[in-house]
Amino acid sequence: MEPLKDGALERSGEEGLAPRAAVINGRLVIKHPPGGPYPVIAPCPGLRLVVNGEERKEPTPVSDKDKVEIIVLDEQREGYWQVKVSEDKLKAFLHVKPWVLVRREMQDVPPARFLNLQVLEQEDFYKAFTMEDLTREMERQGIRYGIDWQACGRGLEPSTEGTLIIAQGIPPVPGKDASVEIFFTTQPKVPVAVGEEETVDFRERFHFTAVEAGMVLARKHPAGAGQPGQTVTGELILPPEPKDIQMIAGSGAVLSNDGLEVIAAMAGRPVVRRLKGRVIISVLPALVHPSNVDITSGNISFSGDVIIAGQVEEGMRVEAGGNINIAGAVSGAAIRAGGCIEVRGNVFSSLLVAGSSTVWQEKFLSILGRIGAMLEHLTTAITQLLHHPSFKKDDLKGGIGPLVLLLLERKFRDLPAAVKILEKELQTFPAISMNGLTALVKDLERLVRTPLAVKSVEQLEAIMKGIRICREEINTPPQDTADIIINYAVNSTVIATGNIKVMGNGCYHTRLQAGRSVTVVGGVFRGGEIQAQGDVYIKELGSRTGTSTGVETGSAATVTIGHAFENTSVRIGSRRYYFVQEEWGVRLRLDREGNIIKSSIPL
């Protein structure tokens, strides 16, 4: 300890010197009045404060009689390095932290009663490895491709700390999946959604797509191969196999010679069915009935579109796998379509269903199901016989035909009869002669007519696979949703998987059920019920006599009513709104909390 220099001390009146301590030229000096008070010294990181042989880690009062030692501590921080290959082996990383030597010296501090000691630090960096070390480690891990020697050099710089990419492989380039480009509209025109400030032409009708023979309906873009990659260890990475898709020409269409185009073989409405790994493009024919559907004409059942120039009378049934268009009225009849339905006349006491399976579909599914089940049992029986210990395989060197004949004669006598029924039904419904179904019927006829020609179980399994494919195709609707347009309905049920539009005077005591929206444009809806998953628009709901009338929609829907009478109700999701008096220009929907909110709209 040394006394403070002249002028460095503060005077404290007559009491004498104020207690002070300072670091001057790297040395500690202490000054205080006799008997105190004494200055206080506080240690800091990087040094040790020892007073009278005892280390002090807290602020400590000291006097000029104390033996005070300040030991400055240098520090060595250990370095580290590691080479690591990523899991996909496309990158090699160098994790590096240099060695660091921290040199410290005590910093001068001006006189103070409470002296906080301070140190000056200087860091010297040293590389943690050599290039020979790095090269040896990369060789040990097999890293030999895509090495970035410049990055390796940066890792050797003494101040470098962190992670560097020192080698990079080449990732594989995926191939292009096969795709099918469709050249026709796959859906009917959809009405414009009603916005709050939008004007909509509610006279809009469906316009169905039509093609002529020779038109290209679809083109397949084949799968493209990818490019292999390479890991940093030199291994080849094969790209994922691109997905192929089978493009099939259904009824009314043919494949081009190269198999890349589907071409219409006749005039009609094109449809596309997307199944797992397959796209089937067909052309549905149109059956035009020039007069009324009545007792004279009989019921109509057709696999394509049906156009009726007259009306459908009481007790009659019209079914189509495609769309149905009726120019006249429908009275006491059942109309069922796999596609859309449009009735320009009025509907009385009738059932209209759009988007459902039809009689011909159910009939073919049933027949193919029975034949498939019998074939499966036949194949199982033959397999069991072939594996039986007492069976002599030498007897069947020419194939399993004798076993098939034996089982058809003794156990599966119904199979030939079922095949004849299938052939007869195919002749009754020639429009559904899909290429696959026609070929399947020929295979089945050959099986039951010449069973001795069957060579292996695999032939039977191929026929069963054909049955599964045909049933899947028949069971798949030609479009996802089907709409219905009518003019006026009384005491009827109208069901559609898509939208329902009532264009004329409205509905009385009728049930409307839609998978999407319901729009009663210009008329009323009195008595009955509307069930929809989408929005509902009604010009007038209920009646002055209080006829019970209800609307039910999904929770995300909006219900718009021009004029609502008393004793009508609207349910949106699980919430219900009752009209206890007449109201005009009402719009109902659910808020975020699930409560019904009502707003007014201009009339």
Coordinates of all heavy atoms in Angstrom, one line a residue, residues 251-307:
S251 N -67.4 -46.2 -71.6 CA -68.4 -46.3 -72.7 C -68.4 -45.0 -73.5 O -68.3 -43.9 -73.0 CB -69.8 -46.6 -72.1 OG -70.1 -45.5 -71.2
G252 N -68.6 -45.2 -74.8 CA -68.7 -44.1 -75.7 C -67.4 -43.4 -76.0 O -67.4 -42.3 -76.6
A253 N -66.3 -44.0 -75.6 CA -65.0 -43.4 -75.9 C -63.9 -44.5 -76.2 O -64.1 -45.6 -75.9 CB -64.5 -42.6 -74.7
V254 N -62.9 -44.1 -76.9 CA -61.8 -45.0 -77.2 C -60.5 -44.4 -76.9 O -60.3 -43.2 -76.9 CB -61.9 -45.4 -78.7 CG1 -63.1 -46.2 -79.0 CG2 -61.8 -44.2 -79.6
L255 N -59.5 -45.3 -76.7 CA -58.1 -44.8 -76.5 C -57.4 -44.7 -77.9 O -57.6 -45.4 -78.8 CB -57.3 -45.8 -75.7 CG -57.4 -45.6 -74.1 CD1 -56.6 -46.8 -73.5 CD2 -56.9 -44.3 -73.7
S256 N -56.5 -43.7 -78.0 CA -55.7 -43.5 -79.2 C -54.7 -44.7 -79.3 O -54.5 -45.4 -78.3 CB -55.0 -42.2 -79.2 OG -54.1 -42.1 -78.1
N257 N -54.1 -44.9 -80.4 CA -53.1 -46.0 -80.6 C -52.0 -45.9 -79.6 O -51.5 -47.0 -79.1 CB -52.6 -46.0 -82.0 CG -53.7 -46.3 -83.0 OD1 -54.6 -47.0 -82.7 ND2 -53.5 -45.8 -84.3
D258 N -51.5 -44.7 -79.3 CA -50.4 -44.6 -78.3 C -50.9 -44.6 -76.9 O -50.1 -44.6 -75.9 CB -49.6 -43.4 -78.6 CG -50.4 -42.1 -78.5 OD1 -51.6 -42.2 -78.1 OD2 -49.9 -41.0 -78.8
G259 N -52.2 -44.7 -76.7 CA -52.7 -44.8 -75.3 C -52.7 -43.5 -74.5 O -52.9 -43.5 -73.3
L260 N -52.4 -42.4 -75.2 CA -52.2 -41.1 -74.5 C -53.4 -40.2 -74.7 O -53.4 -39.1 -74.0 CB -50.9 -40.4 -75.0 CG -49.6 -41.1 -74.7 CD1 -48.4 -40.3 -75.2 CD2 -49.4 -41.4 -73.2
E261 N -54.4 -40.5 -75.5 CA -55.6 -39.7 -75.6 C -56.8 -40.5 -75.6 O -56.8 -41.7 -76.0 CB -55.5 -39.0 -77.0 CG -54.5 -37.9 -77.1 CD -54.5 -37.1 -78.4 OE1 -55.1 -37.7 -79.4 OE2 -54.0 -36.0 -78.5
V262 N -57.9 -39.9 -75.0 CA -59.2 -40.5 -75.0 C -60.0 -39.7 -76.0 O -60.1 -38.5 -75.9 CB -59.8 -40.6 -73.6 CG1 -61.3 -41.0 -73.7 CG2 -59.1 -41.4 -72.7
I263 N -60.7 -40.4 -76.9 CA -61.4 -39.7 -78.0 C -62.9 -40.2 -77.9 O -63.2 -41.4 -77.7 CB -60.8 -40.1 -79.4 CG1 -59.3 -39.7 -79.4 CG2 -61.5 -39.4 -80.5 CD1 -58.5 -40.3 -80.6
A264 N -63.8 -39.2 -78.1 CA -65.2 -39.6 -78.1 C -65.5 -40.4 -79.3 O -65.2 -40.1 -80.4 CB -66.0 -38.3 -78.1
A265 N -66.2 -41.5 -79.1 CA -66.6 -42.4 -80.2 C -68.1 -42.1 -80.6 O -68.5 -42.7 -81.6 CB -66.5 -43.9 -79.7
M266 N -68.8 -41.2 -79.9 CA -70.1 -40.9 -80.2 C -70.4 -39.5 -79.6 O -69.7 -39.0 -78.8 CB -71.1 -41.9 -79.7 CG -71.2 -42.0 -78.2 SD -72.4 -43.3 -77.7 CE -72.4 -43.0 -75.9
A267 N -71.5 -38.9 -80.0 CA -72.0 -37.7 -79.5 C -72.7 -37.9 -78.1 O -73.3 -39.0 -77.9 CB -72.9 -37.0 -80.4
G268 N -72.5 -37.0 -77.2 CA -73.1 -37.2 -75.9 C -72.5 -36.3 -74.9 O -71.8 -35.3 -75.2
R269 N -72.7 -36.6 -73.6 CA -72.2 -35.8 -72.5 C -70.9 -36.5 -71.9 O -71.1 -37.6 -71.4 CB -73.2 -35.5 -71.4 CG -72.7 -34.6 -70.3 CD -73.8 -34.2 -69.4 NE -74.4 -35.3 -68.7 CZ -74.0 -35.7 -67.5 NH1 -73.0 -35.1 -66.9 NH2 -74.6 -36.7 -66.9
P270 N -69.8 -35.8 -71.9 CA -68.6 -36.5 -71.3 C -68.6 -36.4 -69.8 O -69.0 -35.4 -69.2 CB -67.4 -35.6 -71.9 CG -68.0 -34.3 -72.1 CD -69.5 -34.5 -72.4
V271 N -68.1 -37.5 -69.2 CA -68.0 -37.5 -67.7 C -66.6 -38.1 -67.4 O -66.1 -38.9 -68.2 CB -69.1 -38.3 -67.1 CG1 -70.5 -37.7 -67.2 CG2 -69.1 -39.7 -67.6
V272 N -66.1 -37.7 -66.3 CA -64.8 -38.3 -65.8 C -65.0 -38.8 -64.4 O -65.7 -38.2 -63.6 CB -63.7 -37.2 -65.8 CG1 -64.1 -36.0 -65.0 CG2 -62.4 -37.8 -65.4
R273 N -64.5 -40.0 -64.2 CA -64.5 -40.6 -62.8 C -63.1 -40.8 -62.4 O -62.3 -41.5 -63.1 CB -65.3 -41.9 -62.9 CG -66.7 -41.8 -63.3 CD -67.4 -43.1 -63.4 NE -68.8 -43.0 -63.8 CZ -69.6 -44.0 -64.0 NH1 -69.2 -45.3 -63.8 NH2 -70.8 -43.8 -64.4
R274 N -62.8 -40.3 -61.2 CA -61.4 -40.5 -60.7 C -61.5 -41.5 -59.5 O -62.1 -41.3 -58.5 CB -60.9 -39.1 -60.1 CG -60.8 -38.1 -61.2 CD -60.3 -36.8 -60.7 NE -60.3 -35.7 -61.7 CZ -59.4 -35.5 -62.6 NH1 -58.3 -36.3 -62.7 NH2 -59.5 -34.6 -63.5
L275 N -60.8 -42.6 -59.8 CA -60.7 -43.7 -58.8 C -59.2 -43.8 -58.4 O -58.4 -43.0 -58.9 CB -61.2 -45.0 -59.4 CG -62.6 -45.0 -60.0 CD1 -62.9 -46.3 -60.6 CD2 -63.6 -44.6 -59.0
K276 N -58.9 -44.6 -57.5 CA -57.6 -44.8 -57.0 C -56.6 -45.3 -58.1 O -56.7 -46.4 -58.5 CB -57.5 -45.7 -55.8 CG -56.1 -45.8 -55.1 CD -56.2 -46.7 -53.9 CE -54.8 -46.7 -53.2 NZ -54.8 -47.6 -52.0
G277 N -55.7 -44.4 -58.5 CA -54.8 -44.7 -59.5 C -55.3 -44.8 -60.9 O -54.6 -45.3 -61.9
R278 N -56.6 -44.4 -61.1 CA -57.3 -44.6 -62.4 C -58.1 -43.4 -62.7 O -58.7 -42.8 -61.8 CB -58.1 -45.9 -62.5 CG -57.3 -47.1 -62.5 CD -58.2 -48.3 -62.6 NE -59.2 -48.5 -61.5 CZ -60.4 -48.9 -61.7 NH1 -60.9 -49.1 -62.9 NH2 -61.2 -49.0 -60.6
V279 N -58.2 -43.0 -64.0 CA -59.1 -42.0 -64.4 C -59.9 -42.6 -65.6 O -59.3 -43.1 -66.6 CB -58.4 -40.7 -64.9 CG1 -59.4 -39.7 -65.5 CG2 -57.7 -40.1 -63.7
I280 N -61.2 -42.6 -65.5 CA -62.1 -43.2 -66.5 C -62.9 -42.1 -67.2 O -63.6 -41.3 -66.5 CB -63.1 -44.2 -65.9 CG1 -62.3 -45.3 -65.1 CG2 -64.0 -44.8 -66.9 CD1 -63.1 -46.2 -64.3
I281 N -62.8 -42.0 -68.5 CA -63.5 -40.9 -69.2 C -64.5 -41.6 -70.1 O -64.1 -42.6 -70.9 CB -62.5 -40.1 -70.1 CG1 -61.5 -39.3 -69.2 CG2 -63.3 -39.1 -70.9 CD1 -60.2 -39.9 -69.0
S282 N -65.7 -41.2 -70.0 CA -66.8 -41.8 -70.8 C -67.6 -40.8 -71.5 O -67.5 -39.6 -71.1 CB -67.7 -42.7 -69.9 OG -67.0 -43.6 -69.1
V283 N -68.4 -41.2 -72.4 CA -69.4 -40.3 -73.1 C -70.8 -40.9 -72.9 O -71.1 -42.0 -73.3 CB -69.1 -40.1 -74.6 CG1 -70.2 -39.2 -75.2 CG2 -67.8 -39.5 -74.8
L284 N -71.6 -40.2 -72.1 CA -73.0 -40.7 -71.9 C -73.9 -40.4 -73.0 O -74.0 -39.2 -73.4 CB -73.5 -40.2 -70.6 CG -72.8 -40.6 -69.3 CD1 -73.5 -40.0 -68.1 CD2 -72.8 -42.1 -69.1
P285 N -74.6 -41.3 -73.6 CA -75.6 -41.0 -74.6 C -76.8 -40.3 -74.1 O -77.0 -40.3 -72.8 CB -75.9 -42.3 -75.2 CG -75.8 -43.3 -74.0 CD -74.7 -42.7 -73.2
A286 N -77.6 -39.7 -74.9 CA -78.8 -39.1 -74.5 C -80.0 -39.8 -75.1 O -80.1 -40.1 -76.3 CB -78.9 -37.6 -74.9
L287 N -81.0 -40.2 -74.2 CA -82.2 -40.8 -74.7 C -83.3 -39.7 -74.8 O -83.6 -39.1 -73.7 CB -82.6 -41.9 -73.7 CG -84.0 -42.5 -73.9 CD1 -84.1 -43.2 -75.3 CD2 -84.4 -43.5 -72.8
V288 N -83.8 -39.5 -75.9 CA -84.8 -38.5 -76.1 C -86.1 -39.1 -76.3 O -86.4 -39.9 -77.2 CB -84.5 -37.6 -77.4 CG1 -85.6 -36.6 -77.6 CG2 -83.1 -36.9 -77.3
H289 N -87.0 -38.8 -75.3 CA -88.4 -39.4 -75.4 C -89.3 -38.3 -75.9 O -89.5 -37.2 -75.2 CB -88.8 -39.8 -74.0 CG -90.2 -40.5 -74.0 ND1 -90.4 -41.8 -74.5 CD2 -91.4 -40.1 -73.5 CE1 -91.6 -42.1 -74.3 NE2 -92.3 -41.1 -73.7
P290 N -89.9 -38.4 -77.1 CA -90.6 -37.3 -77.7 C -92.0 -36.9 -77.2 O -92.5 -35.9 -77.6 CB -90.7 -37.8 -79.2 CG -90.8 -39.3 -79.1 CD -89.9 -39.6 -77.9
S291 N -92.5 -37.7 -76.2 CA -93.9 -37.4 -75.8 C -93.9 -37.7 -74.3 O -92.9 -37.6 -73.6 CB -94.8 -38.4 -76.5 OG -94.5 -39.7 -76.3
N292 N -95.1 -37.9 -73.8 CA -95.3 -38.1 -72.3 C -94.8 -39.5 -71.9 O -94.8 -40.4 -72.7 CB -96.8 -38.0 -72.0 CG -97.4 -36.6 -72.2 OD1 -96.6 -35.7 -72.3 ND2 -98.7 -36.5 -72.3
V293 N -94.4 -39.6 -70.6 CA -94.1 -40.9 -70.0 C -95.4 -41.3 -69.3 O -95.8 -40.8 -68.3 CB -92.9 -40.8 -69.0 CG1 -92.7 -42.2 -68.4 CG2 -91.7 -40.3 -69.7
D294 N -96.0 -42.4 -69.9 CA -97.3 -42.9 -69.3 C -97.4 -44.4 -69.5 O -96.4 -45.0 -69.7 CB -98.5 -42.1 -70.0 CG -98.4 -42.2 -71.5 OD1 -97.7 -43.1 -72.0 OD2 -99.0 -41.4 -72.2
I295 N -98.6 -44.9 -69.3 CA -98.8 -46.3 -69.4 C -98.4 -46.8 -70.8 O -97.8 -47.9 -71.0 CB -100.2 -46.7 -69.1 CG1 -100.6 -46.3 -67.7 CG2 -100.5 -48.2 -69.4 CD1 -99.8 -47.1 -66.6
T296 N -98.6 -46.0 -71.8 CA -98.3 -46.5 -73.2 C -96.8 -46.6 -73.4 O -96.3 -47.6 -73.9 CB -98.8 -45.4 -74.2 OG1 -100.2 -45.3 -74.0 CG2 -98.6 -45.9 -75.6
S297 N -96.0 -45.7 -72.9 CA -94.6 -45.7 -73.1 C -93.9 -46.6 -72.1 O -92.8 -47.2 -72.3 CB -94.0 -44.3 -72.9 OG -94.1 -43.8 -71.6
G298 N -94.5 -46.7 -70.9 CA -93.9 -47.5 -69.8 C -92.8 -46.7 -69.1 O -92.5 -45.5 -69.5
N299 N -92.3 -47.2 -68.0 CA -91.2 -46.5 -67.3 C -90.0 -46.4 -68.1 O -89.7 -47.3 -69.0 CB -90.9 -47.3 -66.0 CG -92.1 -47.3 -65.0 OD1 -92.8 -46.3 -64.9 ND2 -92.2 -48.4 -64.3
I300 N -89.1 -45.4 -67.8 CA -87.9 -45.2 -68.5 C -86.7 -45.5 -67.5 O -86.7 -44.9 -66.5 CB -87.8 -43.8 -69.1 CG1 -88.8 -43.7 -70.3 CG2 -86.4 -43.5 -69.7 CD1 -88.9 -42.3 -70.9
S301 N -85.8 -46.3 -67.9 CA -84.6 -46.5 -67.2 C -83.4 -46.6 -68.1 O -83.4 -47.4 -69.0 CB -84.7 -47.8 -66.4 OG -83.6 -48.0 -65.5
F302 N -82.5 -45.6 -68.0 CA -81.4 -45.5 -68.9 C -80.1 -45.1 -68.2 O -80.2 -44.4 -67.2 CB -81.8 -44.4 -70.0 CG -80.9 -44.3 -71.2 CD1 -80.8 -45.3 -72.1 CD2 -80.2 -43.1 -71.4 CE1 -80.0 -45.2 -73.2 CE2 -79.3 -43.0 -72.5 CZ -79.2 -44.1 -73.4
S303 N -79.0 -45.5 -68.8 CA -77.7 -45.3 -68.1 C -77.2 -43.9 -68.4 O -76.3 -43.4 -67.6 CB -76.7 -46.3 -68.4 OG -76.4 -46.2 -69.8
G304 N -77.6 -43.3 -69.4 CA -77.0 -41.9 -69.8 C -78.0 -40.8 -69.4 O -78.7 -40.9 -68.4
D305 N -78.0 -39.8 -70.2 CA -79.0 -38.7 -70.0 C -80.3 -39.0 -70.6 O -80.4 -39.7 -71.6 CB -78.4 -37.4 -70.6 CG -77.1 -36.9 -69.9 OD1 -76.8 -37.4 -68.8 OD2 -76.4 -36.0 -70.5
V306 N -81.4 -38.4 -70.0 CA -82.7 -38.6 -70.5 C -83.4 -37.3 -70.7 O -83.3 -36.4 -69.8 CB -83.6 -39.5 -69.5 CG1 -85.0 -39.5 -69.9 CG2 -83.0 -40.9 -69.4
I307 N -83.9 -37.1 -71.9 CA -84.6 -35.8 -72.2 C -86.0 -36.2 -72.6 O -86.3 -37.0 -73.5 CB -83.9 -35.1 -73.4 CG1 -82.5 -34.8 -73.0 CG2 -84.7 -33.8 -73.8 CD1 -81.7 -34.2 -74.2

